[in-house]
Amino acid sequence: MLSIGSFLLQNLSGRPPPSGQHHDTSTDGESAHVYAGDASSVPVNTTRLRTISTAKHLDGRVFYGRLFSLELPETNCMRIDANLTQGTSCLPPSKMAQAVSKAISDSKTTDVFKREELRCLRNVAFPPDLNEKNLPTFDNDSDLGKVLPAMRNRSLAFSLLCNGYALRGRFHGLAVHKVCYYQAYDTAEVAQQKLERELELSSEIASRPGAGSREYPHQDCLGMTPLHILACSTKQRSEMYRIMVKCNPGYLFIQDKWGARPFLYLIWGRAPKEIVQFVANAMKIHPPVEDDWESDLYYSIVATFARAAAPLVCYEYAIEMAKLFDLNDERRYPFWASSWRHAVETLCVESHASREYVEGFIQIFRTSFPKTKLDLELLSVTLVKREKF
């Protein structure tokens, strides 16, 4: 059994696609596999990969954006495919694999999860049979490090603290969550059958005599519902969403431990418009009790993307999909100005984004909202005062 780190390093080594197969330059919404096997055992639908559209060179390395979802195999880390959700796509998988491999090749395998590329990782589960010695630990300033509890790992020298335990048992007693996570390795038909079977079984158990008020746990250790996991997946299948929303429309508005609703991950991963529109319509049919929830939703999206320095095309996709909530109306322009002004501050202070990135971010706003002023002068004064004092 390889360690998780060894598995990542092995499977992120770029190789050309098998003979007769082609790389598409657009996101198909189906797969984000990195293929690293031989031509005789090529997995299905593994020739397209989401990456940042414009490669950013940071410290001499090609930077394609941070991963927020990593779908590892359930039982054997030596499988030939790893599902990575980053944001968007434009470059062939082989180039992406080479770039990421180069970026992490100077790290020890046990330190892979401490790399900048995985600082914003959220959706991941470790195989249940993963040896304790190989359990990764996430830095406290990473997204997972902020929410995962730490325990003493007796297999390590000095019994160092490790916060990877929860992810090894993430789906214990959560069969529906588990199906949604590993559906990336199933065909659409098989995944749908598994989901329907587990939903029916959980409903049956809850209705048995003596069950009382017990019901299926809606959230895992990361606060994610099955709908969150579907939204993070590299395999976007509309029927899975229809089944899940029909079963429990309340999932649409549940927030995970980072305060994110499933819709945020759909935008971050640039899910197909058909699915984004379905989820948006379902949210309008089953709205929460609070007022102006649409603005809160989009404020969270912009703020999260800024903290993660998400690919700029993710912001463009967010603005494009805002029309589904009538947020592109001129009366909403002050809201956009406020949220993006705070995002610029986050990019400069927390994310330490490059000048090129910030300029691109501001240009997207000016192009999308030409009649609205971002008031960068006031923001610059605020930033200068903060640096001075």
Side-chain angles (χ1 to χ4, degrees):
M1 174 72 70
L2 292 179
S3 69
I4 292 292
S6 300
F7 167 74
L8 286 178
L9 290 173
Q10 171 182 304
N11 285 280
L12 291 178
S13 58
R15 297 187 186 181
S19 176
Q21 298 219 10
H22 304 282
H23 291 310
D24 199 336
T25 57
S26 62
T27 301
D28 64 351
E30 284 294 324
S31 178
H33 290 67
V34 174
Y35 178 67
D38 55 68
S40 62
S41 57
V42 57
V44 178
N45 296 328
T46 58
T47 58
R48 298 175 184 178
L49 176 70
R50 297 178 183 146
T51 66
I52 190 170
S53 59
T54 304
K56 305 294 184 183
H57 292 267
L58 301 177
D59 299 326
R61 297 174 297 148
V62 180
F63 180 66
Y64 287 91
R66 302 182 179 104
L67 301 174
F68 69 90
S69 181
L70 174 61
E71 293 163 321
L72 296 173
E74 180 178 4
T75 58
N76 189 346
C77 282
M78 295 182 68
R79 280 192 57 160
I80 61 175
D81 48 11
N83 303 324
L84 316 173
T85 309
Q86 283 190 256
T88 76
S89 77
C90 275
L91 298 178
S94 57
K95 290 186 178 180
M96 168 60 189
Q98 292 169 355
V100 177
S101 177
K102 180 180 179 182
I104 64 177
S105 61
D106 58 342
S107 295
K108 297 179 180 179
T109 56
T110 53
D111 294 333
V112 169
F113 284 91
K114 297 182 183 296
R115 296 292 303 185
E116 181 67 17
E117 291 80 1
L118 297 178
R119 186 174 69 85
C120 295
L121 181 63
R122 295 186 177 186
N123 181 49
V124 65
F126 297 142
D129 57 353
L130 184 65
N131 189 285
E132 289 190 0
K133 191 174 182 179
N134 293 325
L135 273 175
T137 295
F138 299 90
D139 286 336
N140 292 334
D141 62 347
S142 67
D143 280 9
L144 283 170
K146 293 174 182 176
V147 302
L148 289 175
M151 298 173 57
R152 292 287 180 184
N153 191 335
R154 304 299 177 185
S155 66
L156 300 178
F158 309 110
S159 298
L160 298 176
L161 289 172
C162 174
N163 53 18
Y165 281 98
L167 296 178
R168 189 176 63 173
R170 179 181 174 186
F171 301 130
H172 179 69
L174 301 174
V176 179
H177 286 72
K178 183 177 179 179
V179 168
C180 291
Y181 183 83
Y182 292 112
Q183 60 107 15
Y185 293 96
D186 295 324
T187 64
E189 182 180 1
V190 170
Q192 182 178 335
Q193 291 174 351
K194 286 183 177 180
L195 180 60
E196 291 175 333
R197 181 171 63 250
E198 292 300 340
L199 287 173
E200 182 179 356
L201 182 60
S202 62
S203 176
E204 177 186 338
I205 293 176
S207 62
R208 288 176 182 173
S213 59
R214 185 179 62 184
E215 61 179 12
Y216 180 82
H218 297 298
Q219 294 173 275
D220 60 18
C221 63
L222 303 177
M224 287 190 173
T225 66
L227 194 61
H228 280 93
I229 296 175
L230 286 181
C232 289
S233 181
T234 54
K235 288 289 183 72
Q236 293 293 318
R237 292 158 170 162
S238 57
E239 190 58 34
M240 298 287 281
Y241 286 90
R242 292 188 176 92
I243 295 172
M244 189 59 64
V245 171
K246 181 180 179 181
C247 172
N248 196 328
Y251 285 163
L252 292 163
F253 291 95
I254 292 180
Q255 299 179 13
D256 61 19
K257 288 196 173 182
W258 298 278
R261 297 182 174 97
F263 188 83
L264 180 148
Y265 297 111
L266 289 177
I267 300 298
W268 199 346
R270 290 189 73 212
K273 294 180 181 179
E274 170 196 357
I275 292 177
V276 176
Q277 185 170 0
F278 170 78
V279 173
N281 289 338
M283 295 175 78
K284 291 188 288 187
I285 294 173
H286 307 282
V289 295
E290 61 263 25
D291 296 329
D292 204 21
W293 58 268
E294 301 95 335
S295 295
D296 291 340
L297 173 67
Y298 258 77
Y299 186 90
S300 172
I301 290 174
V302 175
T304 299
F305 288 1
R307 284 192 294 271
L312 293 177
V313 285
C314 293
Y315 298 100
E316 295 176 333
Y317 197 53
I319 294 174
E320 181 183 357
M321 294 297 103
K323 62 185 179 183
L324 299 174
F325 300 102
D326 298 322
L327 288 175
N328 58 338
D329 188 279
E330 287 191 14
R331 293 173 296 177
R332 297 279 193 168
Y333 283 4
F335 154 73
W336 286 105
S338 173
S339 60
W340 281 57
R341 187 165 54 248
H342 285 124
V344 172
E345 182 176 355
T346 299
L347 288 170
C348 296
V349 177
E350 295 183 33
S351 303
H352 305 293
S354 67
R355 176 177 177 178
E356 180 186 8
Y357 184 98
V358 177
E359 289 176 346
F361 178 84
I362 294 172
Q363 184 57 42
I364 291 175
F365 177 86
R366 289 174 173 168
T367 302
S368 304
F369 309 102
K371 297 181 180 179
T372 305
K373 186 178 180 181
L374 197 53
D375 199 7
L376 294 177
E377 293 80 5
L378 179 60
L379 176 59
S380 62
V381 172
T382 302
L383 293 177
V384 169
K385 287 182 178 180
R386 177 175 297 184
E387 290 295 324
K388 186 176 180 179
F389 298 106

